[in-house]
Amino acid sequence: MAIYYSSTRNANDKVTASQAILKGLADDGGLFVPSEIPALDVSLKDLADMTYQQTAYEVLKLFLTDFTEEELKHCIDSAYDSKFDTEEIAPLVEADGAYYLELFHGATIAFKDMALSILPHLLITAARKNEVKNDIVILTATSGDTGKAALAGFADVKGTKIVVFYPKNGVSPIQEKQMVTQKGDNTYVVGIKGNFDQAQTGVKQMFNDSAFAELMDANGYQFSSANSINIGRLVPQIAYYVYAYAKLLKEGVIADGEKINVAVPTGNFGNILAAFYAKNMGLPIAKLICASNENKVLFDFFETGTYDKNREFMLTSSPSMDILISSNLERLIYRIAGNDAEKNAALMKSLTETGVYAITPQMRGQLADFVGGYATEEETAATIKDLYEKTGYIIDTHTAVAASVYTKYRKEHADDAKTVIASTASPFKFTRSVMKAIDPQYDTMGDFELVDELSKIGNVKIPKAIEEIRNAPVVHDHVCEVAQMPDAVKEFLGIR
């Protein structure tokens, strides 16, 4: 059965999966959504015996219906290979009664690798399918992890260039060093004097600028996105929730059909939306626990039905979640609006113009599967320390936000369902915050001294991604004002 994609703001224009992946963002500024969410067509029992790669194929074939079996398997096998430091790709680790789905074993030690390892292959295949002659320019804003994962995925990929904007003072030292040391003639990294929301808005404005698109086309270029707004990012993320459930089943932790909960640290809403899609494919998920840090715009939304970005922007120890405009939430809003593009477009217009929108009571009634929660900075640090002291297992700050919210949820609701916590980054990516949480005395040490100490006390090997940047030279030192973002792109591409 063919699945087509339409914009959340205009249901009339239908495109194939490959066209949606190529475009990234719809022409009207909306996000591409599938005409329907297909049901899994293999049993959970059969999935339990599959590798990660086989599981990914069973998911992707249902959504990306204009890709052939050979094309999909080639993309999957090219993505999930020795770039990952474990054959399992996404191991599950039990600690203190929860199951941590480690999504950080790829090249840049963050969950973004799970989708950004495959996106370049999907994109190049899509370009061939649609006879694209232009070079594809990947234009991305990052709150820390997407940038490096996208850079690593697209570096030196023929027919592509990649431009990444990040908030100059809004990412961790390790995250910044990973980006600014990135090699590849087709890569360009720019720090902006602003926050992630401003970077993301600037990127969206360039996508929606028709005059810019014409200028690009005249020079042999066209934009595409590697942000989680790209359906080619979102669909591969569904696979790891299916894989996690199948692993729990295989290990006898749950019975066939038993419902689990999923807790996800959430900023841009893509990762938890993938879990929602998995649930709607038939995966037995009960509650989707949406965990926010002190930028708790999503928590407030689930509590009140009003989305309000007009608030102080907080810089926290979980910077990849320091977001006030959760772009992927639009896909959920569209769905609970009864796939009514006009209604959704009106809400998004209100968000753009006033920073606020409110959903109807009827729409709120469809959010019963979601539970919002948030963790303060103190709670996040206490969770890292507590888990380490109880089990010896060390988690990063983002994962700790989810673990803290899950612990509070379990106590408040007396819900003992087996729970998978999306562990979205290696603790080595946020060493200072992690080590300081375990013992404040560590704050006197240098960044790479902390790396060595974390390896020692956690009894874990230092990831290759960290060793590579220890002495790597800075390649990108570009910084600009928010308003200068289009000029930075033109300068890199050599167009006027």
Side-chain angles (χ1 to χ4, degrees):
M1 181 185 65
I3 298 279
Y4 288 92
Y5 291 81
S6 60
S7 167
T8 49
R9 303 184 193 181
N10 178 0
N12 297 325
D13 290 337
K14 300 245 185 313
V15 297
T16 63
S18 63
Q19 289 167 338
I21 288 168
L22 269 174
K23 287 175 80 70
L25 196 67
D27 292 336
D28 53 23
L31 309 188
F32 286 113
V33 285
S35 48
E36 62 184 278
I37 297 177
L40 283 167
D41 61 0
V42 287
S43 71
L44 298 171
K45 197 161 166 288
D46 287 344
L47 284 164
D49 292 323
M50 292 186 188
T51 63
Y52 190 86
Q53 293 85 344
Q54 290 167 332
T55 306
Y57 174 71
E58 293 301 332
V59 172
L60 268 62
K61 73 176 189 188
L62 299 173
F63 283 93
L64 311 182
T65 54
D66 66 324
F67 286 75
T68 66
E69 179 177 350
E70 185 185 1
E71 286 168 340
L72 274 184
K73 286 184 173 173
H74 171 72
C75 290
I76 289 164
D77 291 341
S78 302
Y80 306 114
D81 58 7
S82 58
K83 289 191 291 295
F84 287 78
D85 64 16
T86 169
E87 280 185 21
E88 287 180 286
I89 307 298
L92 264 179
V93 175
E94 190 278 326
D96 197 27
Y99 294 84
Y100 289 82
L101 179 61
E102 293 188 345
L103 301 171
F104 53 75
H105 288 274
T108 74
I109 57 174
F111 84 101
K112 308 292 171 83
D113 289 322
M114 299 299 295
L116 282 166
S117 294
I118 194 169
L119 182 61
H121 302 288
L122 293 173
L123 201 56
I124 295 304
T125 306
R128 282 201 299 265
K129 268 184 180 309
N130 292 278
E131 298 178 354
V132 169
K133 300 288 188 282
N134 286 340
D135 275 10
I136 294 163
V137 179
I138 302 298
L139 187 62
T140 290
T142 184
S143 56
D145 288 335
T146 286
K148 174 59 183 180
L151 288 161
F154 282 94
D156 294 322
V157 171
K158 201 176 169 204
T160 70
K161 292 185 184 297
I162 177 163
V163 183
V164 170
F165 291 99
Y166 73 97
K168 177 65 186 155
N169 297 309
V171 300
S172 80
I174 297 282
Q175 284 177 314
E176 182 170 46
K177 186 127 197 227
Q178 280 189 303
M179 287 190 281
V180 299
T181 57
Q182 176 66 51
K183 295 174 186 169
D185 292 340
N186 65 334
T187 65
Y188 194 61
V189 180
V190 185
I192 66 151
K193 296 174 184 174
N195 61 41
F196 169 72
D197 285 333
Q198 290 170 303
Q200 183 167 252
T201 299
V203 163
K204 281 185 177 177
Q205 285 170 347
M206 281 187 267
F207 268 106
N208 294 332
D209 186 336
S210 54
F212 203 162
E214 284 174 24
L215 180 65
M216 294 273 290
D217 188 49
N219 285 273
Y221 297 114
Q222 68 188 64
F223 282 138
S224 189
S225 167
N227 274 76
S228 59
I229 53 174
N230 192 315
I231 200 73
R233 272 275 307 271
L234 184 62
V235 170
Q237 290 179 271
I238 300 168
Y240 49 71
Y241 293 109
V242 177
Y243 181 68
Y245 188 95
K247 275 192 71 97
L248 289 175
L249 183 57
K250 184 175 188 175
E251 290 164 13
V253 174
I254 54 173
D256 192 352
E258 182 180 340
K259 288 194 172 183
I260 64 167
N261 292 333
V262 174
V264 187
T266 313
N268 223 5
F269 206 74
N271 204 359
I272 196 163
L273 183 71
F276 174 75
Y277 276 22
K279 176 182 169 74
N280 282 273
M281 292 181 79
L283 199 68
I285 295 173
K287 291 296 180 187
L288 297 152
I289 301 167
C290 178
S292 299
N293 63 17
E294 289 181 350
N295 290 291
K296 58 187 183 70
V297 64
L298 285 165
F299 168 75
D300 291 339
F301 168 72
F302 284 115
E303 287 288 295
T304 66
T306 298
Y307 192 96
D308 184 355
K309 76 176 183 72
N310 300 323
R311 62 185 68 207
E312 186 186 353
F313 183 89
M314 315 285 277
L315 289 173
T316 74
S317 61
S318 46
S320 299
M321 297 159 65
D322 290 347
I323 292 172
L324 295 180
I325 305 172
S326 302
S327 288
N328 273 291
L329 184 63
E330 180 170 347
R331 286 186 164 111
L332 180 66
I333 297 299
Y334 172 80
R335 186 175 173 86
I336 63 173
N339 298 342
D340 185 332
E342 205 174 310
K343 192 187 241 182
N344 174 70
L347 292 171
M348 295 308 125
K349 186 168 184 246
S350 175
L351 181 66
T352 302
E353 291 176 354
T354 68
V356 181
Y357 64 80
I359 61 174
T360 65
Q362 187 183 13
M363 289 168 75
R364 276 194 78 187
Q366 295 179 63
L367 296 176
D369 294 339
F370 285 91
V371 179
Y374 75 97
T376 64
E377 286 290 89
E378 293 74 22
E379 287 171 329
T380 302
T383 298
I384 294 170
K385 182 181 174 70
D386 183 56
L387 190 65
Y388 172 67
E389 288 179 346
K390 277 185 185 169
T391 67
Y393 186 59
I394 302 177
I395 55 174
D396 92 295
T397 45
H398 302 74
T399 307
V401 168
S404 173
V405 168
Y406 162 64
T407 301
K408 288 188 283 187
Y409 165 80
R410 188 179 59 187
K411 280 181 188 161
E412 285 167 22
H413 297 271
D415 183 349
D416 290 328
K418 304 289 191 309
T419 298
V420 168
I421 294 175
S423 186
T424 52
S426 164
F428 285 98
K429 204 150 194 172
F430 302 93
T431 42
R432 185 163 302 282
S433 296
V434 168
M435 296 298 278
K436 196 166 128 187
I438 290 169
D439 189 334
Q441 71 173 9
Y442 286 125
D443 203 25
T444 59
M445 296 170 80
D447 286 326
F448 284 97
E449 281 181 286
L450 285 170
V451 164
D452 295 331
E453 188 66 15
L454 171 55
S455 173
K456 192 167 93 182
I457 70 163
N459 195 26
V460 277
K461 195 177 167 196
I462 298 169
K464 189 171 141 200
I466 298 293
E467 290 293 12
E468 280 175 350
I469 62 167
R470 199 185 279 262
N471 300 304
V474 169
V475 179
H476 306 275
D477 57 1
H478 318 283
V479 179
C480 76
E481 301 288 344
V482 174
Q484 296 170 323
M485 288 169 64
D487 296 330
V489 174
K490 288 176 190 171
E491 184 184 340
F492 172 55
L493 298 176
I495 61 178
R496 294 279 172 269

